[in-house]
Amino acid sequence: MGKTLFSRAVCQTAPYFSSISPTVETLAPGRCVVTMKKRRKVTNHLKTVHAIAMCNMAELAGGLLTDASIPKGARWIPSGMTVKYLKKAKTDLTATADGSSLDWSEEGTVRVPVSVTDTSGQEVFHALIDMNIKHTR
């Protein structure tokens, strides 16, 4: 129940994320993994996962990763996102934000990569999310 309760708490804090019913599978400095089931409410007219649902999922994974990775006392806000739709998303999805090679010590823009894969491990969507980092002094 820990993952479920934590995921629900995140959605209470930022309610829009509840539209995709995410589950936070892994959260640690440098890594965040979020899953989403393919349900009718996240599909489009093609019966595939809607592009904006994947954007929402990527922003959640990237934001949680950033929160877990920035220095104590720093703050952040997303300032942009570049996405690529690589293939139709026909299954449940996993978003992995990998910040293990990013430098979180500097102020300014950090580009967080997020890969969304289907149940066969194929990447269906890729995002680079610009996070504006500010250190409090």
Side-chain angles (χ1 to χ4, degrees):
M1 285 292 293
K3 291 178 189 178
T4 301
L5 291 175
F6 180 79
S7 300
R8 286 183 184 164
V10 168
C11 291
Q12 284 291 324
T13 303
Y16 184 70
F17 291 124
S18 65
S19 68
I20 63 168
S21 301
T23 300
V24 179
E25 300 289 343
T26 304
L27 178 58
R31 184 170 172 82
C32 181
V33 178
V34 174
T35 58
M36 173 177 67
K37 295 210 177 289
K38 181 186 175 209
R39 297 180 172 100
R40 185 176 189 284
K41 71 179 185 174
V42 297
T43 58
N44 57 26
H45 64 289
L46 302 172
K47 298 187 177 24
T48 61
V49 178
H50 195 281
I52 299 305
M54 289 187 283
C55 287
N56 194 353
M57 183 183 197
E59 186 178 348
L60 175 59
L64 288 172
L65 163 85
T66 301
D67 217 33
S69 301
I70 60 175
K72 186 176 175 146
R75 57 184 202 260
W76 62 273
I77 189 165
S79 59
M81 180 163 51
T82 304
V83 300
K84 291 185 180 178
Y85 306 105
L86 304 171
K87 63 185 286 190
K88 290 179 182 176
K90 299 178 181 180
T91 68
D92 297 347
L93 299 174
T94 300
T96 304
D98 181 4
S100 59
S101 65
L102 301 176
D103 181 2
W104 300 100
S105 65
E106 297 293 323
E107 282 195 339
T109 300
V110 173
R111 298 197 90 194
V112 176
V114 182
S115 175
V116 176
T117 56
D118 63 17
T119 56
S120 71
Q122 293 292 308
E123 188 175 33
V124 297
F125 172 95
H126 188 84
L128 285 174
I129 305 174
D130 295 338
M131 298 296 190
N132 187 353
I133 312 294
K134 299 285 186 204
H135 295 267
T136 55
R137 300 190 197 278

